[in-house]
Amino acid sequence: MPEVYLDHYAATAALPEVVEEMKPYFSEKFGNPSSLHGWGDDARKAVEEARARVAALINAEPGEVIFTSGGTEANNLAVKGIAWAARKKGNHVVVSAVEHFSVLHAARTLEKFGMEVTEVPVDSYGMVDPESIKEAITSDTVLVSVMTANGEIGTIQPVQEIAAAAAEKGVGFHTDAVAAAGYIPLDVKTMGADAVSIASDLLYGPKGVGALWVRKGRRLMALLDGGVQEGGRRGGTENVPGIVGMGKAAELAARDLETRAEYLRGMSSELLKWLPESIPRLSVTGHMEKRLPWNASFVVEFIEGEGMLLFLDQKGIAVSSGSACTSRALKGSHVLTACSIPAEIAQGSLLFSFGLDNKPEDVDYVIETLPPIVERLRQMSPLYDKFLKQGGG
Amino acid sequence: MVEIAQYSDTVMDHFMNPRNVGEIESADGVGEVGNPVCGDMMTFYIDVDEDERIKDVKFKTFGCGAAIAVSSMVSEMAMGKTLDEALQISRGDVAEQLGGLPENKMHCSNLGADALHKAIEDYKSKKAVKEG
């Protein structure tokens, strides 16, 4: 049976070059970057080289990159850290409704501490209108946070326009680029952001490492107090092997960005084109053109996502879903809800996230495997019954 | 294959090969529970013989693997039982027969017994109308 992994948004396999580069930093060059001796030097040089490589991925200055424990910490540090450092200037934060939970929930924590948060809605493609950001900004606003692209539906946001809207009102702008970095070109010099989050694990690097780029001069309150690592903005001994791995992963991502994007786009666009042709009452979620190259997301009417995942797994296909039943909290995807997709249709969500290890044949295998699974589940579904009886089909 | 969502082998068997899926045309009793917005919805159909025994049962379910397995198990448990016996089938019995259900699926997906009981009530109220 083929094994087709199409869940790269959940995890990617660290590339062999990445693992090789990390290896010496576990037992051989195990020093602490803060130490003033040879072991410390080796570790410090490795961390600084990684910082330069990560900075290069987004055309930033290395000194402005802070390593974190992942995308979640980078987003928390940006949202809480920037807003809290600016709280004497104002107490209002603007986010979009489709942000990752590490932004949305960080904003909710700020609310508990007395700040105000506006969640700007999106259109049915999950797109934020820069005008609505402008309207949401008040004289009290200290931060706008809108993601570069949404991983669940692939929609790429007009970040440059949003950054311009924030800058016009003198407000800081953070963008969560975890799903986008390495897949679409990002240049902090032209995008107009003040802070950008990225993570290693979507770039074929190790888990548990990420980075926040913060424009020089932008005030930031640390979340982790401790030593003066990362310029005092993130205490704690550095995760040297992880950081080295992220550095290598970022270097490869920058080098191969165009070829990777083209390769992934080839497969995802085939699936986006053919799956709706093969299965009636299946629709694409997110924007068709302004879309991450690795993302193919859908909703299938009358059935629920977990059932599809279980049957697909039996056929060796690994994907994910934003349905309530597949989430541990049993809540449907807030992203699909924000796109005004009715709750019962959002239950049939499927997310295919392509990666470098996929082959064009994988698309054919999905297109041949999924329709009978959908048909089988629909035959069990009372909603499909009702639809047929109402003359649909 | 992996153990997804910590489902038991029995749950996976009933999910992969559900028993008694379908619909009974002009059934003696029909029961529908749940709603698609929360993620699970089940419809049970029963036919009852003159001794008040369930002679046929069918179901349709919209929901996760657990919801489908629960429906299938309930249909199997109810088949051939008297109405009084079938009314005794509880959510707990169903979960037990399935070799357990993940904690977070105990409530939302374990609606099969309720749907069956509703179908029985529907049969009884129809009969009362007929005899009334």
Side-chain angles (χ1 to χ4, degrees), chain A residues 278-280 300 303 308 311 369-381 384 388:
Chain A
S278 324
I279 300 174
V300 188
I303 57 178
M308 289 189 274
F311 277 123
T369 309
L370 187 59
I373 291 175
V374 168
E375 186 52 30
R376 192 167 167 182
L377 287 165
R378 281 182 175 170
Q379 288 306 324
M380 291 186 214
S381 166
Y384 190 54
L388 292 179

Side-chain angles (χ1 to χ4, degrees), chain A residues 1-267:
Chain A
M1 185 175 70
E3 279 198 354
V4 177
Y5 182 82
L6 283 163
D7 200 10
H8 295 85
Y9 185 45
T12 59
L15 291 169
E17 303 96 300
V18 168
V19 176
E20 273 312 306
E21 193 117 347
M22 290 170 72
K23 272 184 186 165
Y25 294 93
F26 288 99
S27 307
E28 203 182 310
K29 300 179 179 181
F30 61 87
N32 185 325
S34 299
S35 300
L36 298 177
H37 46 58
W39 283 269
D41 265 353
D42 283 347
R44 190 164 53 249
K45 279 180 193 148
V47 167
E48 293 319 313
E49 190 184 346
R51 201 185 303 282
R53 287 167 162 181
V54 169
L57 178 63
I58 54 174
N59 194 27
E61 297 304 320
E64 300 172 349
V65 171
I66 304 166
F67 282 115
T68 68
S69 65
T72 290
E73 190 193 326
N75 282 340
N76 269 268
L77 180 57
V79 174
K80 294 175 184 167
I82 293 176
W84 203 249
R87 73 193 179 284
K88 282 180 186 145
K89 283 200 243 160
N91 73 335
H92 181 233
V93 169
V94 176
V95 297
S96 91
V98 292
E99 295 304 302
H100 188 263
F101 280 148
S102 52
V103 167
L104 280 182
H105 293 177
R108 274 176 214 163
T109 296
L110 290 173
E111 266 182 325
K112 285 186 204 151
F113 285 92
M115 297 193 82
E116 279 171 41
V117 177
T118 301
E119 259 184 44
V120 172
V122 295
D123 66 14
S124 60
Y125 303 107
M127 191 76 83
V128 175
D129 179 358
E131 281 305 309
S132 63
I133 297 290
K134 263 188 209 168
E135 284 160 22
I137 294 174
T138 70
S139 56
D140 250 351
T141 310
V142 291
L143 176 69
V144 171
S145 179
V146 176
M147 65 203 335
T148 313
N150 184 289
E152 271 186 61
I153 54 171
T155 301
I156 299 172
Q157 302 293 350
V159 273
Q160 247 167 317
E161 286 94 319
I162 295 169
E168 201 185 298
K169 310 252 181 141
V171 175
F173 175 61
H174 162 249
T175 186
D176 165 9
V178 167
Y183 300 98
I184 57 173
L186 296 177
D187 181 342
V188 298
K189 304 238 159 59
T190 56
M191 81 196 281
D194 297 290
V196 177
S197 303
I198 47 183
S200 150
D201 44 343
L202 260 79
L203 297 174
Y204 305 88
K207 296 173 187 63
V209 205
L212 179 68
W213 168 81
V214 185
R215 181 183 297 283
K216 198 173 180 184
R218 176 61 60 182
R219 290 192 60 212
L220 184 76
M221 188 199 71
L223 298 185
L224 295 183
D225 292 308
V228 291
Q229 292 92 350
E230 303 301 300
R233 293 173 296 181
R234 206 271 185 184
T237 299
E238 297 85 344
N239 169 10
V240 179
I243 288 171
V244 166
M246 181 177 186
K248 187 67 187 175
E251 185 194 55
L252 297 173
R255 187 193 73 191
D256 298 342
L257 192 144
E258 273 173 45
T259 46
R260 282 185 189 183
E262 196 184 329
Y263 183 62
L264 297 170
R265 173 88 64 202
M267 294 183 288

Side-chain angles (χ1 to χ4, degrees), chain A residues 335-379:
Chain A
V335 174
L336 299 178
T337 307
C339 297
S340 307
I341 295 171
E344 71 272 21
I345 295 178
Q347 292 289 0
S349 132
L350 276 185
L351 167 58
F352 298 84
S353 42
F354 284 88
L356 303 179
D357 48 304
N358 290 124
K359 304 256 172 318
E361 304 91 90
D362 295 347
V363 176
D364 303 331
Y365 184 55
V366 170
I367 290 169
E368 141 202 339
T369 309
L370 187 59
I373 291 175
V374 168
E375 186 52 30
R376 192 167 167 182
L377 287 165
R378 281 182 175 170
Q379 288 306 324

Side-chain angles (χ1 to χ4, degrees), chain A residues 1 302-304 306-311 313-314 316 324-330 343-344 347 376-383 385-386 389, chain B residues 1-2 4-5 7 12 15-18 21 23 32 36-43 45 59-66 68 104-105 108:
Chain A
M1 185 175 70
F302 317 118
I303 57 178
E304 189 278 326
E306 192 198 81
M308 289 189 274
L309 260 54
L310 291 170
F311 277 123
D313 181 63
Q314 299 287 325
C325 306
T326 54
S327 81
R328 265 192 234 166
L330 298 182
E344 71 272 21
Q347 292 289 0
R376 192 167 167 182
L377 287 165
R378 281 182 175 170
Q379 288 306 324
M380 291 186 214
S381 166
L383 297 179
D385 254 4
K386 281 182 188 166
K389 279 173 191 158
Chain B
M1 244 350 91
V2 287
I4 292 181
Y7 287 150
M12 280 309 284
F15 166 68
M16 302 293 296
N17 312 292
V21 176
E23 188 182 341
E32 188 179 297
V37 174
C38 16
D40 289 301
M41 187 176 154
M42 299 174 187
T43 312
Y45 303 86
F59 75 86
K60 290 240 167 163
T61 291
F62 168 83
C64 64
I68 290 167
N104 64 352
K105 301 272 168 137
C108 66

